[in-house]
């Protein structure tokens, strides 16, 4: 949950900097772990819906495949007792995670 709080703070800071700008800004928050995606989605809620020019998309790595955003926040929180990040062994997932930002 600490990482979720950090993600929310980063998104809030980006919104503050964007606010009043006429440029469009899409922020993608991606994680290999479904539980982390759900936690971020629940915390963000509908705060950034229906804003003209500012959007936040929170999805799994697979869910973001084929998509892109101006800024990507990659959440790699560990979810197992030995601290390994198992998604790192799949080069396709790593490629998608690292190549979604414009």
């Amino acid at each position: 949950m600490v990482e979720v709080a950090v993600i929310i703070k980063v998104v809030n800071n980006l919104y503050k900097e964007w606010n009043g700008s006429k440029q469009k800004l899409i922020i993608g928050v991606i994680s290999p772990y479904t539980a982390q995606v759900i936690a971020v989605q629940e915390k963000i809620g509908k705060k950034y819906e229906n804003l003209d020019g500012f959007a936040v998309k929170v999805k799994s790595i697979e869910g973001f495949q084929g998509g892109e955003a101006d800024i990507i926040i990659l959440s790699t929180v560990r979810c197992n007792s030995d601290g390994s990040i198992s998604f790192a062994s799949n080069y396709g997932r790593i490629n998608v995670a690292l190549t979604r930002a414009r």
Side-chain angles (χ1 to χ4, degrees), residues 8 14 18 20 33 37 41 44 59 88-89 98 101:
I8 300 306
L14 289 167
W18 170 87
Y33 306 112
V37 169
Q41 287 172 333
I44 286 180
K59 297 182 179 184
S89 63
L98 297 177

Side-chain angles (χ1 to χ4, degrees), residues 42-57:
E42 287 176 350
K43 199 71 168 172
I44 286 180
K46 298 180 186 232
K47 182 175 182 177
Y48 299 107
E49 286 185 7
N50 302 320
L51 295 176
D52 191 27
F54 187 89
V56 179
K57 298 177 182 179

Side-chain angles (χ1 to χ4, degrees), residues 1 3 31-33 36 74-80 84-85 87:
M1 292 312 292
E3 188 170 329
S31 178
Y33 306 112
Q36 187 73 349
L74 176 59
S75 173
T76 59
V77 66
R78 288 179 243 154
C79 69
N80 54 35
S84 69
I85 303 174
F87 85 94

Side-chain angles (χ1 to χ4, degrees), residues 62-79:
E62 288 80 10
F64 223 92
Q65 190 164 356
E68 64 181 11
D70 299 304
I71 296 170
I72 291 291
I73 300 169
L74 176 59
S75 173
T76 59
V77 66
R78 288 179 243 154
C79 69

Side-chain angles (χ1 to χ4, degrees), residues 82-93:
D82 62 345
S84 69
I85 303 174
S86 59
F87 85 94
S89 63
N90 182 314
Y91 296 124
R93 290 179 90 194

Side-chain angles (χ1 to χ4, degrees), residues 22-37:
K22 299 204 187 288
Q23 294 182 325
K24 290 189 177 204
L25 182 63
I26 299 172
I27 299 170
V29 179
I30 59 176
S31 178
Y33 306 112
T34 303
Q36 187 73 349
V37 169

